[in-house]
């Protein structure tokens, strides 16, 4: 937790400094008025830096250290999920909704612990077509289509 | 008003709308009953269903889900000792105890009736209060709206619990993110990196789906549990007359408490339920019986959490400020339908507003009917294994964020928000402040600058107008009280150690 706090404080301070540099390039269209586009982000960046410094210092002073659970064995499954999800979304841009969804669901349900492969396949295909049917056909909510058909 | 309500009821009882409400409530009960799926997540996930619908049907579907999910949480609280939603956490105390004695049906029946009563009380108050509040809000100018936004933002401190500093940080980050896009006053592009998708800012619905649904799915992958087993047999659900008599005073009081807590921006159904439970205990002649499985102990939190639903709609509809995280998504739904929540909604769309009121009442009625008739069916649903459910939820997150603008860019925003939400959860940063800030940030900035332009740069305008001054003072108190409290607590602890 300590490391996590310190790293997030540093990231926030960097964001704050970045915003301050960025807003200094904003044109002051209002002339003398305090209400230009830079006004609000500037205040926020300063507050962000101050709060992050407080977090940084109070974390250093605080001796207590707990596990965050970001790096234990269980979290590995989550990271695999995140990367599969990224691949799924990228594939969807090319292959449309149906095929990547079936593949993604088969992989995920297996990862989550269902054993029987035929059952996984049936559940995945069924779920995909139910979602497709409800959204695209019944409610006319658009889903990604195969890109070269457009 | 009565005429408008009557016309509203006629619209609600058209076949199509009624089916949507029933479907919403049934879906909501299922979502609420499944541990790990909250009302906020349910509304966020199913919001895209409404994109192709007309405003009345779409909004009432979401309200049905909202009311159903808040009620549904009590089913698993009573049967599994696991609240289906945070709002039902207080229901576990007496609900599970009663079920353990073999009276699961009685507990579920009391919870159903209390939820219906609490929800109905809140809808009545919503109907009575919001038009008056909207009338008052019509007189608001930029200064008042800025003060109002600041008041809403100050709530961040009070909802951050023990992680006050992290809550404030999350709020500031949310405010900064809300400045992305074209500045509405000058037309200047801020932090867009020339990316056209960012010109209108980040779609906050994508951010919310990521923060509230996807990140929870990531967490539940780690805590994948084996099938939950219900041991209790559900017998007669219809509550006896003596039970109804016993819970009536508690139910009415708790419904009122829930409604008023719902009206306060930021305080949601979980807080309402616990406050009402404590109050019921305080008012009771036999406070020591609470926790042993008495009817009042179930009625109080259940009437209050459904009371919050109507209460939370009051600031949303009249001022455009959501009462809790679920109504924050509802705000997105209203805007997607081309309806900007705020006092003008009552002037320009009065028939629609009263139809929503009437439909919300009907939704509560359906909670009662489905709860009493269909409870056996809903207890079966809890058996859906989470290893199937979680992957499907992830797919629904993708579908939902895509459907907002038909764009994979929003899906990427959702994905990144989900990952950030997951890391935040692990580092104990609360997520709700970000959402509150995303919604109130643009409003705060716009009104602040408008007020300053109108006053010629004089900041005193915020303090010479009475409503604005009062709101700002209240905001300062709301923000500072928890900070001062935590400083005092820390220094006391230090002294104890020395």
């Amino acid at each position: 937790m300590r490391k996590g706090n310190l790293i997030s404080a540093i990231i926030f301070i960097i964001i704050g400094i970045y915003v301050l540099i960025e807003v200094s390039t904003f044109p002051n269209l209002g002339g003398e008025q305090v209400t230009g586009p830079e006004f609000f982000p500037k205040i926020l960046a300063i507050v962000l830096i101050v709060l992050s410094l407080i977090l940084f210092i109070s974390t250093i002073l605080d001796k207590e250290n707990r596990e965050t659970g970001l790096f234990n064995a269980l979290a590995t499954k989550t990271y695999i999920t995140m990367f599969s999800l990224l691949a799924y979304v990228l594939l969807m841009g090319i292959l449309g909704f149906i095929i990547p969804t079936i593949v993604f669901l088969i992989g995920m349900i297996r990862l989550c612990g269902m054993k029987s492969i035929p059952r996984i396949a049936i559940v995945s295909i069924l779920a995909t077509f139910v979602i497709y049917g409800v959204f695209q056909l019944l409610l006319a909510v658009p889903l990604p289509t195969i890109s070269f058909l457009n | 008003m009565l005429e408008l309500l009557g016309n509203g009821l006629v619209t609600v009882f058209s076949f199509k709308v009624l089916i949507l409400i029933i479907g919403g409530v049934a879906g909501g009960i299922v979502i609420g009953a499944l541990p790990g799926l909250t009302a906020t997540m349910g509304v966020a996930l199913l919001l895209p269903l409404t994109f192709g619908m007309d405003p009345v049907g779409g909004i009432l579907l979401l309200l049905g889900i909202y009311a159903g999910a808040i009620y549904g949480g009590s089913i698993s609280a009573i049967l599994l000792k696991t609240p289906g939603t945070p709002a039902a956490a207080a229901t576990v105390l007496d609900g599970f105890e009663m079920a353990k004695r073999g009276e699961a049906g009685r507990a579920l029946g009391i919870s159903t009736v209390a939820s219906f009563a609490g929800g109905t009380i809140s809808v009545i108050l919503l109907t009575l209060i919001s038009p008056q509040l909207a009338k008052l809000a019509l007189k608001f100018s930029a200064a008042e709206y800025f003060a109002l936004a600041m008041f809403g933002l100050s709530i961040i401190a009070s909802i951050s619990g023990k992680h006050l500093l992290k809550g404030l940080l999350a709020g500031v980050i949310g405010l900064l993110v809300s400045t992305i896009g074209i500045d509405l006053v000058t037309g200047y592009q801020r932090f867009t990196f020339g990316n056209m998708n960012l010109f209108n800012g980040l779609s906050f619905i994508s951010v919310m789906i990521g923060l509230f649904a996807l990140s929870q799915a990531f967490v539940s992958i780690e805590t994948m549990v084996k099938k939950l087993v219900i041991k209790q047999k559900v017998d007669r659900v219809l509550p006896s007359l003596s039970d109804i008599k016993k819970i009536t005073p508690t139910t009415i009081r708790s419904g009122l408490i829930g409604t008023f807590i719902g009206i306060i921006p930021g305080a949601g159904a979980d807080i309402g339920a616990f406050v009402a439970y404590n109050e019921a205990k305080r008012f009771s002649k036999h406070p020591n019986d609470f926790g042993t499985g008495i009817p009042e102990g179930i009625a109080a939190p259940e009437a209050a959490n459904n009371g919050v639903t109507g209460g939370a709609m009051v600031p949303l509809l009249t001022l455009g400020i959501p009462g809790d995280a679920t109504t924050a998504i509802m705000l997105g739904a209203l805007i997607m339908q081309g309806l900007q929540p705020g006092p003008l909604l009552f002037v320009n769309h009065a028939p629609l507003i009263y139809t929503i009121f009437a439909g919300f009442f009907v939704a509560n009625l359906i909670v009662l009917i489905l709860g009493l008739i269909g409870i056996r069916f809903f207890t079966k649903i809890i058996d859906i294994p989470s290893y199937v459910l979680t992957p499907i939820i992830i797919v629904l997150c993708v579908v939902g964020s895509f459907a907002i603008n038909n764009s994979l860019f929003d899906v990427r925003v959702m994905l990144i928000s989900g990952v950030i939400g997951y890391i935040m959860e692990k580092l104990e940063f609360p997520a709700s402040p970000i959402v509150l800030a995303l919604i109130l940030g643009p409003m705060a900035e716009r009104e602040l600058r408008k007020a300053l332009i109108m006053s010629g740069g004089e900041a005193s305008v915020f303090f010479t107008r009475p409503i604005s001054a009062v709101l700002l003072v209240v905001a300062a108190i709301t923000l500072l009280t928890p900070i001062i409290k935590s400083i005092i607590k820390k220094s006391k602890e230090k002294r104890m150690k020395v």
Side-chain angles (χ1 to χ4, degrees), chain B residues 74-75 77-79 94-111 230-240 242-243 246 292-295 298 375:
Chain B
S74 70
I75 297 175
I78 289 168
L79 295 175
D94 278 272
F96 184 70
E97 287 303 317
M98 186 182 278
K100 222 167 59 180
R101 286 203 305 258
E103 296 179 297
R106 184 179 171 211
L108 288 168
I110 291 169
S111 142
I230 300 169
K231 294 190 193 98
Q232 276 80 22
K233 238 189 84 195
V234 178
D235 41 1
R236 205 179 100 107
V237 186
L238 206 67
S240 65
S242 73
D243 269 351
K246 228 183 251 172
T292 61
I294 57 169
I298 301 170
I375 197 73

Side-chain angles (χ1 to χ4, degrees), chain B residues 123-365:
Chain B
V123 174
I124 294 171
L125 285 175
L126 168 71
T127 312
L128 294 177
I129 295 174
S130 44
Q132 308 308 323
L133 199 58
K135 239 183 240 163
L136 180 72
L138 272 178
K139 298 195 187 93
F140 283 11
S141 75
E144 280 82 14
Y145 271 107
F146 169 70
L148 207 56
M150 290 316 283
F151 172 65
L153 287 169
S154 71
I155 302 287
I156 286 174
S158 60
I159 56 171
S160 304
K162 52 183 176 152
H163 307 295
L164 183 57
L165 183 59
K166 290 182 172 178
L168 293 176
L169 272 166
V172 176
I173 290 286
L175 286 174
L176 266 176
V177 171
S178 80
T179 63
I180 293 176
I182 292 175
D183 171 27
L184 288 178
V185 180
T186 58
Y188 187 76
Q189 283 181 34
R190 298 188 294 190
F191 315 110
T192 59
F193 310 101
N195 187 333
M196 223 174 71
N197 292 306
L198 287 175
F199 284 4
N200 288 321
L202 288 179
S203 139
F204 83 86
I205 296 178
S206 307
V207 176
M208 291 196 72
I209 295 178
L211 282 180
F212 286 109
L214 185 62
S215 70
Q216 287 311 306
F218 285 153
V219 172
S220 68
I221 282 174
E222 291 173 12
T223 52
M224 203 51 77
V225 276
K226 291 271 142 53
K227 231 172 149 177
L228 299 160
V229 184
I230 300 169
K231 294 190 193 98
Q232 276 80 22
K233 238 189 84 195
V234 178
D235 41 1
R236 205 179 100 107
V237 186
L238 206 67
S240 65
L241 265 180
S242 73
D243 269 351
I244 300 236
K245 241 187 219 160
K246 228 183 251 172
I247 62 169
T248 301
T250 311
T251 305
I252 294 173
R253 182 178 345 99
S254 306
L256 291 172
I257 292 174
T259 308
F260 285 106
I261 287 182
I263 293 175
I264 302 170
D270 41 346
I271 300 174
F274 269 107
V275 172
Y277 186 83
N278 286 333
E279 287 305 305
K281 210 169 159 179
R282 222 162 51 88
F283 271 88
S284 169
K285 289 189 195 91
H286 41 83
N288 290 332
D289 290 354
F290 277 80
T292 61
I294 57 169
E296 294 95 316
I298 301 170
E302 279 309 306
N305 63 22
N306 273 80
V308 167
T309 58
M313 292 299 287
V314 172
L316 173 71
L317 292 176
T318 55
L319 306 169
I321 293 180
D324 64 358
T326 315
T327 40
I329 305 173
M330 223 80 91
L331 177 89
L334 284 164
I335 293 174
M336 296 262 337
Q337 295 282 6
L339 302 163
Q340 179 62 47
L344 282 177
L345 203 58
F346 286 79
V347 181
N348 299 337
H349 296 280
L352 176 91
I353 291 283
Y354 282 91
T355 308
I356 290 177
F357 292 161
F360 205 2
F361 169 73
V362 172
N364 277 295
L365 198 65

Side-chain angles (χ1 to χ4, degrees), chain B residues 420-466:
Chain B
I420 292 176
Y422 171 77
I423 297 172
M424 281 176 56
E425 167 124 3
K426 294 283 172 173
L427 294 179
E428 296 176 348
F429 278 90
S432 330
I434 294 197
V435 173
L436 208 58
L438 271 179
I439 290 168
L440 295 177
M443 176 170 162
E445 181 181 17
R446 187 181 62 230
E447 304 301 335
L448 169 73
R449 290 165 67 188
K450 235 200 246 167
L452 284 177
I453 288 171
M454 285 193 292
S455 74
E458 277 299 322
S460 62
V461 58
F462 298 109
F463 297 97
T464 49
R465 298 179 67 100

Side-chain angles (χ1 to χ4, degrees), chain A residues 5 35 37 78 92 139 141-142, chain B residues 48-49 166 190 222 398 406 449:
Chain A
N5 279 352
T35 49
T78 303
M92 201 144 97
L139 297 166
V141 174
Chain B
L49 286 177
K166 290 182 172 178
R190 298 188 294 190
E222 291 173 12
V398 172
N406 263 339
R449 290 165 67 188

